[in-house]
Amino acid sequence: MLPPIEELLERLHVVSLPMRVRFRGITVREVALIDGPSGWGEFGAFVEYEPPEAASWLASGIESAYGARVPVVRAAIPINATVPAVPAAQVPSVLERFPGARTAKVKVAEPGQVLADDVARVNAVRAVIPTVRVDANGGWTVDEAVAAARALTADGALEYIEQPCRTVAELADVRARVGVAVAADESIRKASDPLAVVHAHAADVAVVKVAPLGGVSALLGIAAQIDIPVVVSSALDSAVGIAAGLRAAAALPRLDHACGLGTGGLFVEDVADITPVDGGLPVVDIQPEPARLAALAAPADRRDWWIARVRTCYPLLMSPRLN
């Protein structure tokens, strides 16, 4: 049952988190946090997302703030380092923020860059971390993905290539033509049927994110219907959203790969700290620090923008897809 919207808005804290490097084209990450009776929740749909898509993120935040915690089967989650599309020379300084990580996810196919930039970045990561995966965010055509797979594996293996192309059919084509595992992300979290990519045998790994899928319970329901390995990843969440991702990963009966939940290292400041230990993060509830909430509070006009967004998305939570 949904809380009254006025109560929800009274519990809302909008924060602006400065980033160390540009990621997804932004240098400041805005999120709205909900101080609920069950704990804290996060509504952080990226600002360009339209209400129908953003509503799933609001459902996720409400679940964390008002719902019961799912039972977990592990106390810590191995995480990958996340390397934005930085020049190769900056890779060592980025990796320093992920102590103990033995897997790294490297962003590739960045607009304005070329394949040689990706190869240099990946090789710089390989010099420090043994297991490397790359994420193209659907930025290649099939032929470009095939060429990239060859170039990026010339000097070492890849664990997988995440979302090399946009469509399920293209993922299946790439998977048939390269000797590298293919992971699906956008083809799950942005799809009207998040299981379509699995049913089409178009991926070897399913990357799932709590907020876009509507919450921990929704993610676990989807994961239960997937017969390939699952990786729980962040949607550039604050510590509050990361905690929800950790709970989801901790509740999975099977977890074969490091999860993409270490993106807090990309922020200059966060609302709370979750400290990595030996390449993993503990499964904990997060209580944002009042002083940090105050220091990171978004300007009044941005708070008003998020309040208006909640008002727009809230009625959409009555949709059968979100219930």
Side-chain angles (χ1 to χ4, degrees):
M1 186 173 180
L2 289 173
I5 188 168
E6 295 305 326
E7 175 188 328
L8 191 62
L9 294 175
E10 287 175 2
R11 295 176 177 272
L12 209 67
H13 300 257
V14 181
V15 294
S16 299
L17 308 179
M19 301 182 63
R20 299 180 187 276
V21 294
R22 182 176 294 274
F23 191 80
R24 286 191 85 261
I26 61 175
T27 55
V28 175
R29 176 70 165 119
E30 284 187 350
V31 298
L33 304 177
I34 306 166
D35 181 7
S38 298
W40 285 77
E42 178 172 323
F43 174 39
F46 294 108
V47 296
E48 69 270 19
Y49 287 5
E50 296 295 329
E53 184 173 3
S56 294
W57 299 60
L58 180 57
S60 175
I62 291 173
E63 180 193 57
S64 290
Y66 285 84
R69 297 291 184 254
V70 298
V72 299
V73 296
R74 53 186 66 84
I77 305 299
I79 60 168
N80 63 246
T82 299
V83 181
V86 297
Q90 293 182 22
V91 164
S93 63
V94 172
L95 294 179
E96 287 175 358
R97 296 192 280 275
F98 302 92
R102 290 176 285 277
T103 299
K105 180 168 82 169
V106 184
K107 290 293 185 177
V108 294
E110 181 80 358
Q113 296 187 6
V114 297
L115 182 55
D117 298 319
D118 296 337
V119 172
R121 186 181 312 112
V122 166
N123 283 340
V125 173
R126 282 196 181 106
V128 182
I129 290 184
T131 302
V132 180
R133 55 182 70 154
V134 298
D135 182 7
N137 290 114
W140 290 321
T141 66
V142 171
D143 288 342
E144 288 170 341
V146 172
R150 291 172 181 155
L152 292 168
T153 55
D155 300 305
L158 289 176
E159 184 181 29
Y160 58 71
I161 298 176
E162 183 175 325
Q163 201 68 43
C165 305
R166 293 181 62 188
T167 71
V168 170
E170 288 172 326
L171 293 189
D173 197 357
V174 171
R175 185 170 181 255
R177 293 174 58 184
V178 301
V180 181
V182 172
D185 172 13
E186 285 88 345
S187 290
I188 295 173
R189 65 180 168 90
K190 286 180 169 285
S192 57
D193 178 4
L195 298 174
V197 68
V198 177
H199 293 156
H201 305 289
D204 302 282
V205 176
V207 178
V208 290
K209 300 179 178 180
V210 169
L213 293 176
V216 173
S217 298
L219 182 152
L220 294 174
I222 290 168
Q225 302 175 68
I226 290 175
D227 60 359
I228 59 176
V230 168
V231 170
V232 180
S233 193
S234 160
L236 200 56
D237 305 316
S238 78
V240 171
I242 291 295
L246 291 168
R247 288 196 301 272
L252 291 169
R254 171 185 171 189
L255 189 66
D256 299 329
H257 299 280
C259 288
L261 295 169
T263 52
L266 300 176
F267 296 129
V268 175
E269 189 74 32
D270 203 342
V271 295
D273 293 326
I274 309 178
T275 304
V277 177
D278 193 27
L281 287 175
V283 180
V284 293
D285 274 336
I286 285 296
Q287 182 76 24
E289 299 175 17
R292 295 197 193 190
L293 285 174
L296 295 168
D301 63 322
R302 296 305 302 164
R303 174 177 169 77
D304 291 343
W305 186 90
W306 280 92
I307 287 173
R309 194 181 203 195
V310 171
R311 289 191 182 279
T312 301
C313 291
Y314 183 88
L316 302 179
L317 300 182
M318 311 300 178
S319 164
R321 181 173 179 268
L322 298 177
N323 284 279

